[in-house]
Amino acid sequence: MSLDWFEGPLLAIETSCDETSAAVLDGRKIWSNVVSSQARLHEKWGGVVPEAAARAHVEAILPVIEEALALAYLSLRDVRAVAATNRPGLLGALSVGLTSAKALSFSLGVPLIAVHHLEGHLLSPLALPGELPFPHACLIVSGGHTELVRVDGLGRYELIGQTLDDAAGEAFDKGARLLGLGYPGGQAIEKAAEGGDPKRYPLPRGLSGDTLDFSFSGLKTALWRLGETEGERLSVPDAAASLQEAIVSVLAERAVRAAIDFELPALTLVGGVAANLSLRSRLEGFCRREGLAFLTPPPELCTDNAAMIGLAGSLRLAAGERSGFDADCEANAALPGLPSPSF
Ligand code: KG4
Ligand code: ZN
């Protein structure tokens, strides 16, 4: 399937949670992608504080946009369209990015497109060179989502499996908190797991049988119990490795089975948890064994970033869509065909 792209420099903005990001693209080509993370700010509270996130976006947004333009050797006058995430996410955080995009669109006299954050993640493999086959299966794993999706093209998504409770990213984050590894949890668990034994502590795998759904909520109870019984003897690297293995093994097995069951020739892996190297290499191995193509963006395009918003925005603009200045932010909007975020 050939995709149509918006031509000319497009400025994209992402501020849905705790990353302030701006990117410049021309069609499918990403010229720059600047991400300013607020992780250090929220670390002391052990999670994202919405009010603090919004304030930090206000401080970071203009320097981040300026840097993205500078890295692309462009100035504002060169920008031909503006894309920004407007849903779902933290309302205060989203409104900083969307308001900036509206102001730029108005003052430059160029089109505005408001983008669904999840569509950005779903289409992020388009950042890779080469063809992205349609239809394909996509495993989306982030802080608020764990879904298996059949992707037929822009806006054509069909749910084939989902978490019944916590998202995979949430399981990493809650596990990290229980193990005293702090925030953000996914990276902390991955780092702590490096020297650990993934077989040391058997943890629950959630649903059994040939389902394509997931359940991760039993993990935090099991981990808490483990801490109670082991006390001082608990090995944090072994517990982190066991938790990572419990999450990765279920995700990888079900994602590959989904592609096979639905006769889809390729599997993509997207969302913040897709930055996890253990998950990436497990899926790569499984897909090779099954003769499936496996595509996942580089880790910096898996966690929240404006480049993926630009890719989705460019396709929507090329399809003739435009957003008005009355476009609003929405905290919980679902992408048609898919569920709302679980947080
Ligand atoms: O997509 P994302 O950046 O934000 C949302 O849209 O939610 O995903 C954030 C999630 C967090 O739960 C974080 O702990 C997880 O992705 N994450 C990871 C890793 N890096 C980020 N989980 C496991 N391993 C990682 N390396
Ligand atoms: Zn995200």
Side-chain angles (χ1 to χ4, degrees):
M1 176 200 273
S2 79
L3 294 167
D4 293 326
W5 297 94
F6 180 84
E7 276 178 35
L10 171 117
L11 174 69
I13 298 171
E14 152 66 39
T15 60
S16 65
C17 189
D18 61 343
E19 258 101 28
T20 316
S21 180
V24 177
L25 294 86
D26 189 354
R28 195 174 165 179
K29 181 98 195 68
I30 299 165
W31 286 350
S32 64
N33 181 43
V34 177
V35 182
S36 166
S37 172
Q38 303 173 6
R40 300 280 308 274
L41 169 71
H42 301 290
E43 202 176 10
K44 55 182 172 291
W45 297 301
V48 179
V49 175
E51 183 61 29
R55 283 166 195 264
H57 283 307
V58 171
E59 279 170 29
I61 190 77
L62 293 181
V64 163
I65 290 173
E66 275 165 15
E67 194 182 339
L69 287 166
L71 288 172
Y73 298 102
L74 294 178
S75 72
L76 271 179
R77 277 188 302 278
D78 301 309
V79 170
R80 290 288 165 270
V82 187
T85 311
N86 76 324
R87 65 199 193 282
L90 303 170
L91 282 180
L94 284 167
S95 74
V96 176
L98 184 64
T99 309
S100 309
K102 284 180 185 173
L104 287 169
S105 159
F106 178 74
S107 55
L108 298 170
V110 299
L112 169 75
I113 187 79
V115 176
H116 193 291
H117 182 80
L118 202 62
E119 184 157 75
H121 278 304
L122 281 171
L123 299 175
S124 60
L126 287 165
L128 297 165
E131 278 290 298
L132 177 62
F134 291 99
H136 62 257
C138 175
L139 171 63
I140 167 148
V141 269
S142 70
H145 285 271
T146 299
E147 280 115 38
L148 281 162
V149 182
R150 175 189 157 119
V151 182
D152 277 88
L154 178 68
R156 294 166 61 202
Y157 314 116
E158 189 190 327
L159 184 70
I160 53 184
Q162 64 179 319
T163 183
L164 302 183
D165 40 57
D166 292 352
E170 225 177 325
F172 272 108
D173 293 338
K174 287 176 178 169
R177 213 170 299 151
L178 280 165
L179 293 175
L181 292 171
Y183 168 90
Q187 283 141 293
I189 293 280
E190 180 166 30
K191 193 156 189 303
E194 270 166 25
D197 173 5
K199 295 205 178 78
R200 170 86 180 272
Y201 302 119
L203 292 171
R205 299 301 198 252
L207 310 173
S208 56
D210 58 4
T211 175
L212 291 175
D213 290 334
F214 308 91
S215 168
F216 293 112
S217 67
L219 274 174
K220 55 182 185 290
T221 322
L223 209 56
W224 179 81
R225 275 213 204 97
L226 186 67
E228 292 291 296
T229 33
E230 293 289 308
E232 291 286 287
R233 288 188 318 253
L234 183 81
S235 157
V236 172
D238 289 353
S242 302
L243 176 70
Q244 180 171 266
E245 178 59 25
I247 300 170
V248 164
S249 59
V250 189
L251 288 174
E253 184 271 322
R254 257 155 239 181
V256 169
R257 192 151 46 74
I260 295 169
D261 286 1
F262 284 78
E263 296 181 13
L264 300 168
L267 174 70
T268 64
L269 169 67
V270 306
V273 181
N276 186 280
L277 295 181
S278 170
L279 179 60
R280 295 167 81 87
S281 62
R282 186 78 52 94
L283 273 174
E284 193 177 10
F286 281 8
C287 285
R288 198 180 318 119
R289 195 183 68 198
E290 300 295 339
L292 296 167
F294 176 62
L295 297 104
T296 187
E300 66 275 15
L301 295 179
C302 290
T303 45
D304 289 348
N305 67 87
M308 67 181 191
I309 301 305
L311 290 168
S314 178
L315 291 173
R316 294 234 165 238
L317 285 166
E321 282 183 41
R322 301 288 184 268
S323 299
F325 294 130
D326 57 349
D328 252 334
C329 298
E330 292 172 66
N332 277 310
L335 197 56
L338 301 181
S340 310
S342 66
F343 45 72

